[in-house]
Amino acid sequence: MVGRDAELSTIAAALRSAQGGAGGAAFIVGEGGIGKSRLASAAADLAYAQDMRLLRGRGSSIGPMVPFRSLTEALMSLMRGGDRAELAELGPYLPVLGRLIPDLGQPSPGGDGGSLVVLAEAVLRLLAVVGHERGCLMVLDDLHDADPETLAVVDYLVSNLDRMPAMLLGTTRPAPCPALSLVRAAEQRGASTVIDLRRLGAGDIRRLAGSCLAVPDDAVPDDVVTHLHTASGGIPLLAEELLNAMLGSGLLARTSDGWRATGPLRTRPSVSLTRTTAEQLDRVSPQTRELLSVAAILGRRFPLAVLQSATGLEHLEMLALLHAESVAQLVEPDQETPDWYAFEHPLIGEALLGLLTARERQELTSRVLAAVAAVYPGLPGEWCQASAALQLKAGNRGQAGLLFAEAGRRALAQGAAQSAVALLDQALELLDRKQDAQGRADALATQLYALAEAGLVERAVLSAADAGQFSGLLDPGARAHLHTRLAWAAAVAGRSAEGAEQVSIARGLLGPDAPDADVAPLDVVAAHLALDVPGPGQVQEADRLARRAAAAAQAAGLPAVACQAWQLLGALSRTRNPGEATECLERALRIAVDNDLPIEEIHTLVRLGNDDALRDASTTRLEQARAEATRVGAVTSRYQAEASLALQAILRADFAEAESLIAQVLTATTRLRLLETTRYTLLLKSILGAHRGRRREMAAALAELRHWEGDHPQHAPRVHGLARAVCALLEEDRALALHELDLAIAAEDSSPSIFALTGRYGLRVLLRVIDGTMGREEYEQVTAAPVSRLRWDRQFALFAGAVLAGRAGQGPSAARAVAEAAAAGAPFPTSRHLGLRLVSEAAAADGWGTPVQWLREAEEYFHDREVPAVASACRGLLRRTGASVAQRRTGAGEIPPALRAAGVTVREHEILRLLADRLSNREIALRLHLSPRTVEKHVASLIVKTGQPDRVALGQLAATAREA
């Protein structure tokens, strides 16, 4: 570690900070041979000495683009020596890490666990867990060789390690590459420390030589120091190689006067490592040279099993050659992986390859390919792309292309979409358009999914132009399969017209008698596209296509497609017939269970849980879905289940639980970029504010939702029907509530929604019956719809039926209807008491039921939950009936001390709180059942008592007090 004192001090300080819980990232940047890996090893030694947990991995050196190689090595190095009991704290993220660490069990199935950001979050949480008490260091060497997915995870860690007990240390070369771009970007935004390694000066070279020769620095001859410094250019590795060569050749020898040069030292600008390596190889046997050449073909790191198979050597004989003194300076056992060896530096392997002729390279490559196939049947893991690269070196372009395509398919299944795109790009470049037409078509079809998963949907759509190259080369079914994939890419990109065009082309190719295996996937895509087309018939068309897809998938033995089709049918049926929706979803669940499709099973459980909650207010199956998603690591499904539970908590008026769930889901999905769930959770946040009667909170959440949704708000019916309308009713603005409900129905009619609870069959019915615009005949038509039986809507419909019966002089029937409505609304206290408040007004006017009892119950509920407008309205109605009214104003003890000291009364404080919403005197008077003149007097008194200059300033004071 000569000349690296300042760098070591920087790293030591970062390690201490990480142990204190303020982690971070540092990157060592330097050219080959300058000592990046040695400095990283020294950092690891420091961490070990401080009893920190240590994880080490390096970039892939066997073939191109090995997804997650560095991370897999690093995490497996942790598993080999650590206590795994603590990993249980990772919860649903533990199976996600199964993609990197087989020891952790079955990887998370399906696309949820395949999210790259979810995987990055899992790695982040693992570092937090293992470093909890001792701190941890993750070293990732040779990031310039890392795949895009590893770099994406590194970038995520860099941005989120600041509050973790962990440090990330990476190394990379200074040549332009994605890793260097990441490092410089992190440095620019202040998210990491960058250590740019300089070349050693003459003084440092003297110290290095003295250390190697085991003598004091001043005992190294000046001419030797000058030669080493000039010839190596200050690169430590080259300086050591030069020194070893001088010792080996006798040019530097120990005499009675100390170390001396025995001959002339020729000073050159630099000495090639290839020449030094060649000189070392001249001193080994032909058998050893062949062994090392085969190893160089494999890369910097190589497994003994392949080496033995390619050379035909016995195991002990091979080990003896590798451990010979002449070879020990070139290779060493790999510390991370048993039965693997590695060159001490990548330049050594490159130098060895440079000594081979083209014919020797080709012959050795063919032998290595045969050895890899024999040792690793089926080419698992990295060996697929490694073999692809070797086939390319051997000149076998077609075989290389097919292997790159297979490697791309595997990378996509692993969730490494960007690597999959790159691998499939190579495959498409190598596969001949005519001779390998089917292979090219399969590679392109896979790449379309990879592009969509990687967020490159526009490029996927533009690939439609490439489909024409297969005309006349493939059978119609194969071409139709390709166009089906193009249609799906267009659907993901939101380009419905182009997707429909691809569906049309695929149908034309398949013809009227197409096999079910081709029809089913196409119809599922077409059904999703149909939902994107505005118009009242879109749901019906999607339903037709989904049903046909379900039947075709069953006939063709495609359980995953069948399950997806029945899930879609369940969603489509919900707003028409909840019972039918449940039947569809139960069928999807059976298919998923019978065919071992765990991720589809969880998706179905979430949908079934939603149906249970809507129909019977039961959350049992939603809880089951959340638990199952947690067990298998389906993170996205877990957050979907929790979002649904949050909605039910809002409806149940368990606002604290809802707020906790929403905050938890929103934080996670925003960080993980799960946009659909984020949008839905923001909708829930607005509904939560509305059901609390907090307009400002509702408006803030809706503003954020508009930011995320853009110009295509899919949640408009619920925004108006379940948020704004309820908020208006809690403000005692019945006209505004009905207007919002009308807007909800208009939005739903213009583009039918698959979401329920828009007010069509419940709250809007009650308000229209109360204001006299809906009579018995229309009421019976609306409530005859099966969807009106959803419990939330049914309570309001029953309240509306009670009002109609009371107007018709059927008092006992009306009272029974209220009792039935109250029972239906028992799980939903806010809506049930709101219904009692609304229906009691009609009951008092028409002389039926027990309106005084209902009003007292509602008044107490809304007073306790600080909804003053409704509580005040209930008190006003009680007074009109002649009933005694208990004083329910806010107590003086609840007035802030500063206002109480200024002499603000209880009534004035009520008015001041309403001023925060910028209401006029008339609006406040309506809320509190006062005259506008009385409100005006109280406002004037508040201005005097608080010392505010005007009404605007008074409103600002009220808003500040509320936020406090």
Side-chain angles (χ1 to χ4, degrees):
M1 296 314 301
V2 171
R4 306 304 186 205
D5 294 341
E7 291 83 353
L8 274 173
S9 178
T10 298
I11 291 173
L15 289 173
R16 289 192 297 271
S17 179
Q19 278 192 303
F27 295 98
I28 304 171
V29 179
E31 57 194 305
I34 203 166
K36 301 184 299 296
S37 296
R38 287 194 181 183
L39 184 56
S41 294
D45 291 340
L46 286 174
Y48 183 78
Q50 296 174 24
D51 197 31
M52 296 177 71
R53 302 292 288 275
L54 185 61
L55 303 83
R56 299 195 66 176
R58 61 166 60 93
S60 173
S61 59
I62 298 182
M65 310 297 284
V66 181
F68 306 116
R69 174 60 176 274
S70 306
L71 291 169
T72 299
E73 284 191 8
L75 271 60
M76 290 187 70
S77 71
L78 174 71
M79 293 299 101
R80 282 194 289 271
D83 180 7
R84 304 183 191 184
E86 60 193 350
L87 298 185
E89 298 177 30
L90 291 172
Y93 291 96
L94 188 60
V96 175
L97 290 172
R99 294 166 58 191
L100 303 182
I101 314 172
D103 289 354
L104 293 182
Q106 186 67 28
S108 174
D112 289 343
S115 166
L116 185 57
V117 184
V118 172
L119 176 63
E121 176 72 10
V123 174
L124 178 68
R125 296 195 180 206
L126 174 66
L127 296 180
V129 168
V130 300
H132 175 60
E133 294 182 351
R134 299 157 51 186
C136 72
L137 170 66
M138 174 185 276
V139 178
L140 298 180
D141 223 342
D142 295 339
L143 285 174
H144 47 267
D145 289 329
D147 55 287
E149 281 69 33
T150 292
L151 294 180
V153 173
V154 168
D155 189 47
Y156 188 88
L157 295 177
V158 168
S159 299
N160 292 282
L161 275 173
D162 56 326
R163 298 182 181 179
M164 299 289 179
M167 177 184 174
L168 167 67
L169 180 64
T171 72
T172 186
R173 292 180 181 175
C177 64
L180 185 65
S181 298
L182 183 157
V183 168
R184 295 306 182 195
E187 179 185 28
Q188 187 174 20
R189 67 178 188 265
S192 71
T193 299
V194 176
I195 301 172
D196 288 294
L197 289 188
R198 56 178 176 81
R199 294 191 178 193
L200 300 182
D204 290 330
I205 292 293
R206 180 183 294 277
R207 291 174 57 201
L208 178 64
S211 176
C212 292
L213 297 174
V215 297
D217 299 351
D218 56 7
V220 182
D222 292 343
D223 57 343
V224 172
V225 172
T226 301
H227 174 68
L228 291 175
H229 180 247
T230 305
S232 69
I235 296 178
L237 177 68
L238 295 181
E240 289 187 33
E241 290 293 339
L242 277 170
L243 186 62
N244 288 333
M246 292 170 68
L247 291 169
S249 65
L251 187 58
L252 180 64
R254 184 189 289 272
T255 69
S256 58
D257 295 328
W259 289 98
R260 294 289 181 267
T262 61
L265 299 175
R266 292 180 298 168
T267 301
R268 298 181 295 247
S270 65
V271 174
S272 169
L273 183 62
T274 303
R275 183 184 180 101
T276 305
T277 305
E279 292 173 354
Q280 290 177 293
L281 289 179
D282 286 341
R283 298 192 295 271
V284 303
S285 67
Q287 196 175 38
T288 302
R289 180 168 184 157
E290 179 188 2
L291 180 70
L292 293 174
S293 297
V294 170
I297 293 290
L298 282 165
R300 181 182 178 185
R301 301 171 64 253
F302 44 89
L304 294 183
V306 174
L307 205 60
Q308 182 180 0
S309 177
T311 59
L313 294 170
E314 293 294 330
H315 185 71
L316 293 178
E317 182 182 9
M318 181 177 59
L319 286 178
L321 293 175
L322 289 173
H323 286 273
E325 184 177 354
S326 58
V327 178
Q329 298 175 356
L330 300 175
V331 300
E332 61 182 356
D334 190 299
Q335 297 179 359
E336 304 298 333
T337 312
D339 296 325
W340 280 61
Y341 276 64
F343 289 107
E344 287 196 348
H345 193 278
L347 295 178
I348 296 174
E350 294 172 11
L352 284 165
L353 292 175
L355 298 172
L356 298 174
T357 66
R359 183 173 181 180
E360 287 174 330
R361 281 196 187 196
Q362 188 169 11
E363 191 273 332
L364 287 177
T365 301
S366 297
R367 286 168 57 185
V368 168
L369 275 168
V372 169
V375 175
Y376 297 103
L379 304 178
E382 65 192 72
W383 291 107
C384 185
Q385 52 264 49
S387 296
L390 291 171
Q391 290 284 8
L392 188 57
K393 288 180 181 179
N396 304 323
R397 291 176 59 87
Q399 287 297 317
L402 292 174
L403 285 172
F404 275 125
E406 176 60 24
R409 279 189 284 274
R410 294 180 185 180
L412 181 60
Q414 192 183 12
Q418 296 182 48
S419 286
V421 170
L423 289 164
L424 291 161
D425 276 338
Q426 294 182 67
L428 291 169
E429 183 179 346
L430 294 171
L431 293 169
D432 186 83
R433 291 178 180 271
K434 292 184 179 180
Q435 295 179 357
D436 301 308
Q438 185 62 59
R440 280 184 62 82
D442 292 341
L444 179 58
T446 304
Q447 192 181 56
L448 290 171
Y449 272 173
L451 288 167
E453 180 68 21
L456 303 172
V457 290
E458 291 300 314
R459 181 181 164 191
V461 173
L462 292 176
S463 298
D466 298 333
Q469 66 184 273
F470 300 104
S471 180
L473 300 175
L474 299 177
D475 62 78
R479 291 172 61 198
H481 173 68
L482 187 59
H483 286 284
T484 301
R485 293 289 182 92
L486 286 166
W488 179 255
V492 173
R495 298 170 69 159
S496 304
E498 293 174 47
E501 181 181 356
Q502 293 299 322
V503 168
S504 177
I505 294 172
R507 292 204 190 284
L509 288 168
L510 291 174
D513 301 320
D516 291 333
D518 293 327
V519 171
L522 184 59
D523 279 347
V524 167
V525 177
H528 281 93
L529 286 167
L531 287 175
D532 293 334
V533 179
Q538 62 178 4
V539 173
Q540 290 81 355
E541 176 63 9
D543 185 273
R544 183 185 71 82
L545 291 168
R547 290 185 184 280
R548 191 166 73 179
Q554 181 178 357
L558 302 174
V561 176
C563 192
Q564 293 166 1
W566 285 109
Q567 286 177 12
L568 182 57
L569 285 169
L572 293 169
S573 303
R574 181 180 294 151
T575 57
R576 181 182 66 248
N577 189 332
E580 181 184 344
T582 300
E583 291 177 5
C584 293
L585 293 173
E586 292 284 6
R587 186 164 186 173
L589 184 62
R590 287 195 299 273
I591 294 172
V593 172
D594 292 345
N595 293 277
D596 193 23
L597 301 172
I599 199 65
E600 298 299 340
E601 178 182 348
I602 293 169
H603 283 312
T604 309
L605 277 175
V606 173
R607 289 168 171 79
L608 280 167
N610 283 325
D611 279 5
D612 291 348
L614 289 170
R615 186 179 54 251
D616 300 319
S618 169
T619 60
T620 301
R621 221 159 5 186
L622 277 176
E623 295 285 2
Q624 179 187 353
R626 175 166 66 170
E628 188 64 15
T630 300
R631 186 185 68 81
V632 305
V635 175
T636 304
S637 297
R638 174 187 172 179
Y639 291 138
Q640 290 171 346
E642 288 181 335
S644 296
L645 287 168
L647 173 61
Q648 294 308 310
I650 295 171
L651 301 183
R652 292 170 175 271
D654 190 350
F655 298 141
E657 173 68 9
E659 188 171 35
S660 175
L661 283 169
I662 288 171
Q664 174 183 319
V665 173
L666 196 56
T667 298
T669 57
T670 302
R671 184 164 66 183
L672 299 176
R673 301 172 191 174
L674 304 175
L675 299 184
E676 289 302 318
T677 309
T678 296
R679 294 186 184 108
Y680 181 66
T681 309
L682 285 170
L683 169 68
L684 297 182
K685 191 174 180 180
S686 71
I687 295 173
L688 174 61
H691 284 234
R692 282 175 152 175
R694 300 177 181 179
R695 179 169 290 276
R696 294 178 67 185
E697 292 181 8
M698 177 190 73
L702 290 177
E704 195 173 355
L705 176 60
R706 283 193 296 273
H707 169 74
W708 284 87
E709 280 197 319
D711 297 329
H712 305 285
Q714 60 175 314
H715 297 299
R718 277 187 168 183
V719 166
H720 292 291
L722 198 55
R724 292 184 180 276
V726 172
C727 188
L729 283 176
L730 294 180
E731 295 170 338
E732 281 295 311
D733 194 337
R734 201 178 302 172
L736 177 59
L738 191 53
H739 174 69
E740 294 289 355
L741 288 163
D742 289 341
L743 291 176
I745 303 311
E748 194 173 38
D749 287 341
S750 64
S751 184
S753 170
I754 61 174
F755 297 109
L757 307 188
T758 60
R760 180 188 294 268
Y761 299 100
L763 189 54
R764 185 169 180 263
V765 173
L766 174 57
L767 294 185
R768 288 192 59 205
V769 165
I770 288 174
D771 72 5
T773 59
M774 177 180 286
R776 170 64 67 176
E777 183 177 354
E778 184 180 358
Y779 169 82
E780 291 180 350
Q781 289 176 350
V782 172
T783 56
V787 72
S788 69
R789 301 189 188 100
L790 297 180
R791 191 160 183 170
W792 173 266
D793 285 334
R794 190 167 77 249
Q795 61 176 328
F796 294 117
L798 288 167
F799 278 126
V803 173
L804 288 172
R807 284 181 185 164
Q810 301 168 358
S813 296
R816 285 194 297 271
V818 169
E820 191 177 353
F828 316 120
T830 297
S831 59
R832 180 170 69 87
H833 288 95
L834 193 57
L836 290 174
R837 176 264 175 271
L838 292 170
V839 79
S840 62
E841 191 170 348
D846 296 331
W848 58 271
T850 55
V852 171
Q853 176 186 335
W854 300 333
L855 284 170
R856 290 193 192 281
E857 184 180 342
E859 188 274 339
E860 181 175 3
Y861 176 84
F862 289 111
H863 172 80
D864 290 344
R865 281 150 186 81
E866 297 184 347
V867 185
V870 182
S872 181
C874 291
R875 289 194 294 271
L877 287 170
L878 284 168
R879 291 190 186 96
R880 268 190 264 166
T881 64
S884 61
V885 180
Q887 182 58 261
R888 283 292 204 177
R889 296 180 183 178
T890 302
E894 298 182 41
I895 300 175
L899 296 177
R900 188 168 60 248
V904 174
T905 66
V906 172
R907 177 62 80 184
E908 287 171 347
H909 186 235
E910 286 181 333
I911 292 173
L912 181 63
R913 293 177 63 184
L914 293 175
L915 283 172
D917 294 326
R918 299 181 181 180
L919 300 180
S920 68
N921 287 351
R922 182 171 295 279
E923 289 172 321
I924 294 174
L926 288 172
R927 297 277 187 92
L928 300 180
H929 298 275
L930 302 172
S931 70
R933 179 63 177 166
T934 300
V935 174
E936 182 180 349
K937 290 180 180 180
H938 284 305
V939 170
S941 176
L942 282 167
I943 290 174
V944 173
K945 289 180 178 180
T946 60
Q948 301 301 313
D950 52 33
R951 181 190 180 95
V952 174
L954 190 63
Q956 293 173 345
L957 174 66
T960 303
R962 174 183 289 183
E963 292 172 358

